[in-house]
């Protein structure tokens, strides 16, 4: 009877861990002749911990990060342009508290997305709402929300409310005028309000080209992104290619620079 009533109350109060672990803690308390207050403390602590774990899992699942990459998996020796100290500082996530940006620049395959994913993962584990998407998807989703008359709702819910917004692959696909305006709104409205982690294969000097030749909008965007930012300019060869070269699948070829592809978003 008491058990049933307890289960019922735990359900009503959403105390899932208390319900699941009550038996274990009761036995422990009897064994250790624990004070009532210590017993209650343990029970509530386990409830809190289990809620935090659940929240981390949910934040990771809804972040769009897809796959988990970690800093532990990152080989700093293989990427000379990246300072381990700088990345370790970023991993404290103080940049998020200060609403600063992280800009990861460099040619294809040097680990930009890996680092962005790893920082994003850390953010979810610190229970910060995080959203990862490519620049092309961001523009596409903003356009489609606009067409459906849901621009403001979409922007607030998906792009402005996450503590950390990760925009991957800025520069692979050119962005038309409408896209450029929408992209600018994102940068501008998050400015000093929430962090952006951005990866790009294009140096800033070529952003005008990326945004349909609109120099003013490119400059305004770069200005806001750079104002409070950590810039990691990664040099070197593609890690992917290097792995292939090492395993003898292909012969080494020199890097010819990242270009804009033809498809426009
Ligand atoms: P980019 O985004 O710069 O094009 P990625 O981050 O996608 O490059 O890296 C390509 C692949 O190589 C990924 O599987 C990534 O995990 C791996 N990689 C790149 N750099 C490193 C590194 N320094 N240590 C370990 N893995 C790396
Ligand atoms: Mg990438």
């Amino acid at each position: 009877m008491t058990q049933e009533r307890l289960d019922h109350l735990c359900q009503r109060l959403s105390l899932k861990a208390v319900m699941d672990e009550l038996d274990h803690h009761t036995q422990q308390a009897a064994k250790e002749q624990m004070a009532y207050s210590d017993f209650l403390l343990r029970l509530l602590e386990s409830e809190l911990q289990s809620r935090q774990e659940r929240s981390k899992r949910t934040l990771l699942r809804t972040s769009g990060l897809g796959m988990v990459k970690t800093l532990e998996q990152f080989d700093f020796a293989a990427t000379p342009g990246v300072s381990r100290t700088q990345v370790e500082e970023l991993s404290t996530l103080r940049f998020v508290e200060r609403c600063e940006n992280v800009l990861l620049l460099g040619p294809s395959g040097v680990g930009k997305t890996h680092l962005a994913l790893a920082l994003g993962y850390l953010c979810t584990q610190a229970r910060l709402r995080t959203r990862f998407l490519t620049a092309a998807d961001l523009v596409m989703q903003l356009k489609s929300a606009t067409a459906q008359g849901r621009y403001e709702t979409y922007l607030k819910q998906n792009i402005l409310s996450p503590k950390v917004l990760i925009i991957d692959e800025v520069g692979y696909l050119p962005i038309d005028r409408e896209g450029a305006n929408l992209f600018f709104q994102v940068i501008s409205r998050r400015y000093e309000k929430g962090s952006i982690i951005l990866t790009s294969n294009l140096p800033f000097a070529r952003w005008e080209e990326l945004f349909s030749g609109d120099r003013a909008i490119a400059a305004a965007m770069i200005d806001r992104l750079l104002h409070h930012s950590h810039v990691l300019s990664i040099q070197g060869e593609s890690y992917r290619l290097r792995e292939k070269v090492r395993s003898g699948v292909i012969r080494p070829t020199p890097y010819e620079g990242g270009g804009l592809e033809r498809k426009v978003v």
Side-chain angles (χ1 to χ4, degrees):
M1 190 61 194
T2 310
Q3 188 61 48
E4 262 175 38
R5 187 77 190 129
L6 273 171
D7 284 352
H8 173 74
L9 286 173
C10 285
Q11 260 167 11
R12 286 289 306 270
L13 295 166
S14 305
L15 298 170
K16 186 160 181 341
V18 170
M19 191 158 106
D20 292 346
E21 293 171 31
L22 186 60
D23 264 0
H24 165 74
H25 285 295
T26 313
Q27 282 166 22
Q28 237 9 64
K31 207 154 64 185
E32 293 174 31
Q33 297 189 326
M34 207 180 275
Y36 292 132
S37 53
D38 287 336
F39 165 70
L40 186 61
L41 193 67
R42 278 208 194 169
L43 209 52
L44 294 181
E45 268 168 358
S46 75
E47 179 64 42
L48 180 66
Q49 199 187 355
S50 122
R51 282 184 191 199
Q52 288 178 343
E53 289 307 318
R54 211 177 321 146
S55 138
K56 286 181 201 176
R57 285 196 298 274
T58 309
L59 285 167
L60 180 61
R61 202 180 52 242
T62 56
S63 64
L65 284 165
M67 86 182 82
V68 173
K69 293 266 180 184
T70 64
L71 291 180
E72 287 71 34
Q73 296 163 343
F74 196 77
D75 178 2
F76 285 89
T79 314
V82 184
S83 134
R84 181 192 282 272
T85 325
Q86 193 174 17
V87 174
E88 275 169 4
E89 164 58 29
L90 292 174
S91 73
T92 65
L93 305 183
R94 277 193 281 265
F95 78 91
V96 179
E97 274 164 46
R98 301 193 203 113
C99 300
E100 293 165 353
N101 301 326
V102 177
L103 310 176
L104 297 154
L105 309 174
S108 180
V110 292
K112 302 181 300 295
T113 302
H114 186 131
L115 288 173
L117 288 170
L119 289 173
Y121 176 70
L122 284 180
C123 292
T124 61
Q125 299 311 286
R127 287 181 285 118
L128 299 168
R129 216 178 132 201
T130 306
R131 182 95 188 95
F132 176 99
L133 72 183
T134 63
D137 281 344
L138 173 65
V139 170
M140 213 169 61
Q141 290 182 19
L142 286 165
K143 281 185 180 177
S144 114
T146 308
Q148 294 166 22
R150 305 186 288 111
Y151 169 74
E152 202 58 36
T153 319
Y154 172 80
L155 190 74
K156 284 202 178 115
Q157 280 176 1
N158 296 278
I159 307 300
L160 301 180
S161 75
K163 277 295 241 186
V164 182
L165 177 71
I166 306 175
I167 312 174
D168 196 26
E169 297 185 349
V170 177
Y172 281 117
L173 298 174
I175 297 173
D176 66 11
R177 292 252 163 192
E178 186 195 355
N181 283 322
L182 292 166
F183 201 94
F184 173 72
Q185 286 303 318
V186 172
I187 307 296
S188 160
R189 289 182 64 177
R190 283 191 69 94
Y191 175 61
E192 296 185 332
K193 295 210 185 77
S195 292
I196 295 176
I197 300 176
L198 180 148
T199 82
S200 180
N201 62 313
L202 272 195
F204 289 129
R206 292 187 60 195
W207 276 36
E208 176 183 340
E209 196 184 324
L210 168 67
F211 290 104
S212 301
D214 193 330
R215 174 179 293 194
I217 224 164
M221 251 186 283
I222 295 166
D223 195 41
R224 282 164 180 75
L225 280 169
L226 277 176
H227 188 196
H228 310 287
S229 68
H230 305 261
V231 181
L232 277 78
S233 249
I234 313 177
Q235 288 104 37
E237 293 166 41
S238 163
Y239 191 88
R240 276 188 285 251
L241 287 183
R242 216 154 5 136
E243 292 280 281
K244 290 237 175 351
V245 170
R246 196 177 303 146
S247 60
V249 178
I250 56 166
R251 281 216 299 269
T253 48
Y255 168 63
E256 285 165 0
L260 291 167
E261 285 171 25
R262 267 190 306 268
K263 195 176 147 210
V264 178
V265 290

